[in-house]
């Protein structure tokens, strides 16, 4: 990914981070409900509809699932959690 594209994606993630803050000031995984700890990083943002298959939804906020890095990795490795799959199916119904 080019630097300009990386910066655009980071701005997109930052906007989502700001918009999805809970009333208690924290952020939570939409999969497990666990609090997202530490500094914001790209592994906390999962494209439900993969960028490679559906590039038209790359910058669609509805296509992003906030999650713990390990939840994102499980999906990437082909072993998504049940709740993760349910969220992906819901997003597919909405966007496709």
């Amino acid at each position: 990914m080019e630097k300009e594209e990386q910066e655009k994606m980071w701005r997109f993630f930052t906007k989502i981070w700001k918009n999805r803050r809970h009333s208690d000031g924290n952020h939570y995984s939409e999969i497990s409900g666990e609090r997202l700890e530490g500094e914001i990083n790209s592994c906390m943002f999962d494209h439900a509809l993969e960028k490679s298959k559906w590039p038209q939804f790359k910058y669609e906020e509805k296509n992003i699932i906030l999650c713990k890095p390990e939840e994102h990795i499980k999906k990437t490795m082909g072993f998504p959690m049940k709740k993760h799959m349910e969220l992906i199916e819901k997003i597919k119904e909405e966007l496709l």
Side-chain angles (χ1 to χ4, degrees):
M1 190 182 306
E2 295 178 21
K3 184 177 179 177
E4 184 177 307
E5 182 71 14
Q6 287 176 336
E7 289 172 356
K8 183 177 180 181
M9 186 64 68
W10 187 251
R11 287 190 303 272
F12 175 64
F13 288 159
T14 302
K15 178 182 175 187
I16 291 169
W17 190 254
K18 180 181 176 187
N19 291 341
R20 296 195 192 171
R21 183 181 308 269
H22 281 251
S23 59
D24 66 3
N26 294 307
H27 295 87
Y28 295 89
S29 166
E30 295 171 37
I31 298 164
S32 63
E34 293 180 32
R35 185 171 162 216
L36 299 176
E37 303 281 346
E39 295 291 318
I40 179 178
N41 72 69
S42 62
C43 287
M44 295 176 176
F45 301 86
D46 177 47
H47 285 84
L49 303 176
E50 296 295 333
K51 299 181 300 262
S52 59
K53 294 180 185 175
W54 292 282
Q56 68 271 34
F57 298 117
K58 184 191 300 190
Y59 293 106
E60 170 57 60
E61 287 189 44
K62 293 176 185 175
N63 187 37
I64 301 297
I65 298 171
L66 280 183
C67 61
K68 297 184 74 141
E70 54 268 28
E71 295 165 344
H72 194 169
I73 291 167
K74 283 181 183 180
K75 179 204 168 200
T76 301
M77 299 295 286
F79 302 101
M81 299 169 71
K82 182 180 179 202
K83 176 68 175 179
H84 204 153
M85 287 305 300
E86 290 170 357
L87 289 171
I88 291 168
E89 288 304 315
K90 181 181 175 188
I91 291 167
K92 280 183 178 179
E93 289 175 13
E94 188 173 344
L95 295 179
L96 298 180

